[in-house]
Amino acid sequence: MAKSDGEVKVLGTWSSPFVMRARIALNIKSVNYEFLQERLWEGKSDLLLQSNPVHKKVPVLIHGHNTICESLIIVQYIDEVWSSAPSILPFEPHERAEARFWAAHLDEKWFPSMRAIGMAEGEDARRAAIGQVEEGLVLLEEAFGECSKGRPFFGGDRIGYLDIAFGCFLGWLRVTEKMTGIRLLNETNTPHLLKWAHRFCSDDAVKDVMPETEKLAEFAKMIMGRMRGAGKS
Amino acid sequence: MAKSDGEVKVLGTWSSPFVMRARIALNIKSVNYEFLQERLWEGKSDLLLQSNPVHKKVPVLIHGHNTICESLIIVQYIDEVWSSAPSILPFEPHERAEARFWAAHLDEKWFPSMRAIGMAEGEDARRAAIGQVEEGLVLLEEAFGECSKGRPFFGGDRIGYLDIAFGCFLGWLRVTEKMTGIRLLNETNTPHLLKWAHRFCSDDAVKDVMPETEKLAEFAKMIMGRMRGAGKS
């Protein structure tokens, strides 16, 4: 099934939800790629700095002579280049617009709130951030109904653009649930998303890329420890 | 040339660069539309609140039964629906990715810096914001060379996605030049962008939509006055 369409490399880290997007999109298209792990705490590689001089961030997709940055742009590029394999974006323009709308909302509003839970100073700030994450999940539960139309994924019968955009945050959502002791995805408020999350994580394109919750929780503790240390110095 | 593909409406304001994107894209495609002006200072219309319940922001494109929010998503929707008219996004996937990258960069980094000039408290903050805007313009001058390949627009021989994304900020850039007394686009640092800006503003799809600098400057003064007033109360 693997395709040989020029050399494909992904610069990234195992823990980044944004890097996971590029890897899942390549898996959906059955494209072989080399995963070059960055060790950001030890300094960014010359290849990363050369490939993404504006933002200096992972993921970067290298495809032959082309470099592509920003995870959602990479996913669209992969969909457009390997267009004969299963489609990632919906076919219909309005459905494409809906998927793009919610994916942008996740990155601009929802994920920053989830990240704010771990970084919150004081119980009030922490509670406010948890509330925003919960409200966002209720909106996404509604969006799931509209986009999936009773099928298993946002994208319909198989994983699509919005599944990738949202699903990549599930590892960090589980870590947040573990740290707060709150079931953010639950039977009461988000019953469809709860089932969708299980389906997403056990999909062939995803299961080898999604980090284990324990390992990610250890990593999160280490990051927060370093940030607090840096804040004190 | 006008097309009748179902009822098309744009909810917006004359002064918003983001609204202008939707209007220019429709003009490029020769699509007739009704422009419904919002008066945001007097309260948002019910139609806006119903059409964009998540962000409650302009622009909103209403096309028959479909509503589409977020300016760059609207431009892509217009390009996909009226696909037989001149293309807005480039054809080649890597060029599409480049155009999307710079458009996202404009919205996430560059325009917030320009807005920060007017809102800066103190000369140091103002200088820092001006410096960021100037650095961003030098990057965009380089991007123009890469994208246009010697042709008149980022999109090649005619206005494309990145032209629309960036060009819509030219009115506010001129207001900022007027208020600071600094020529941000100039022969020394951004000679190609300077010429491009003239071409963009005199294009048939743009000239009736681009606000006059004097009118926009008056509007900017009014907004800043209200914001300072609100800050004091």
Side-chain angles (χ1 to χ4, degrees), chain A residues 52 54-55 66-70 73 76-77 80-81 93-94 96-98 100-102 105 108-109 139, chain B residues 52 54-55 66-70 73 76-77 80-81 93-94 96-98 100-102 105 109 139:
Chain A
N52 190 356
V54 177
H55 298 313
N66 294 335
T67 55
I68 304 99
C69 305
E70 298 291 299
I73 295 173
Q76 290 178 85
Y77 174 86
E80 290 165 0
V81 168
H94 185 241
R96 292 163 78 91
E98 284 281 294
R100 287 184 174 128
F101 174 86
W102 286 109
H105 180 75
E108 288 160 24
K109 304 280 178 190
L139 283 179
Chain B
N52 190 357
V54 177
H55 299 313
N66 295 334
T67 55
I68 304 98
C69 306
E70 297 291 297
I73 296 174
Q76 290 178 85
Y77 174 86
E80 290 166 0
V81 167
H94 184 241
R96 293 164 77 92
E98 285 280 296
R100 287 183 174 128
F101 174 86
W102 287 110
H105 180 75
K109 303 281 178 189
L139 282 179

Side-chain angles (χ1 to χ4, degrees), chain A residues 99-165:
Chain A
R100 287 184 174 128
F101 174 86
W102 286 109
H105 180 75
L106 280 161
D107 284 8
E108 288 160 24
K109 304 280 178 190
W110 185 80
F111 186 62
S113 297
M114 193 164 77
R115 200 156 39 186
I117 295 175
M119 309 300 289
E121 292 193 8
E123 190 54 23
D124 285 353
R126 190 171 153 278
R127 283 256 139 238
I130 291 171
Q132 283 173 347
V133 168
E134 287 175 327
E135 274 175 40
L137 289 173
V138 170
L139 283 179
L140 286 159
E141 174 80 7
E142 286 172 29
F144 184 79
E146 285 166 28
C147 295
S148 70
K149 300 185 180 74
R151 294 170 299 170
F153 295 103
F154 283 95
D157 291 320
R158 51 192 310 155
I159 286 175
Y161 187 71
L162 183 50
D163 296 282
I164 297 173

Side-chain angles (χ1 to χ4, degrees), chain B residues 11 68 87 102 108 124 164 166-167 177:
Chain B
L11 305 192
I68 304 98
S87 283
W102 287 110
E108 289 161 23
D124 286 353
I164 297 174
F166 183 22
E177 288 183 327

Side-chain angles (χ1 to χ4, degrees), chain B residues 50-165:
Chain B
Q50 286 159 16
S51 307
N52 190 357
V54 177
H55 299 313
K56 304 176 179 66
K57 280 184 183 171
V58 293
V60 174
L61 178 77
I62 300 177
H63 176 216
H65 298 294
N66 295 334
T67 55
I68 304 98
C69 306
E70 297 291 297
S71 66
L72 292 176
I73 296 174
I74 291 172
V75 172
Q76 290 178 85
Y77 174 86
I78 291 168
D79 200 31
E80 290 166 0
V81 167
W82 290 280
S83 55
S84 60
S87 283
I88 292 175
L89 274 144
F91 176 74
E92 200 274 314
H94 184 241
E95 291 179 9
R96 293 164 77 92
E98 285 280 296
R100 287 183 174 128
F101 174 86
W102 287 110
H105 180 75
L106 281 160
D107 284 8
E108 289 161 23
K109 303 281 178 189
W110 185 80
F111 185 62
S113 296
M114 193 164 74
R115 200 155 42 188
I117 295 174
M119 309 300 288
E121 294 192 6
E123 191 53 26
D124 286 353
R126 190 171 154 278
R127 283 256 139 237
I130 291 171
Q132 283 174 349
V133 167
E134 288 175 326
E135 274 175 39
L137 289 173
V138 170
L139 282 179
L140 286 158
E141 173 81 5
E142 286 172 28
F144 184 80
E146 285 166 28
C147 295
S148 70
K149 300 184 180 76
R151 292 169 301 169
F153 295 104
F154 283 96
D157 291 320
R158 50 193 310 155
I159 286 177
Y161 186 71
L162 183 51
D163 296 282
I164 297 174

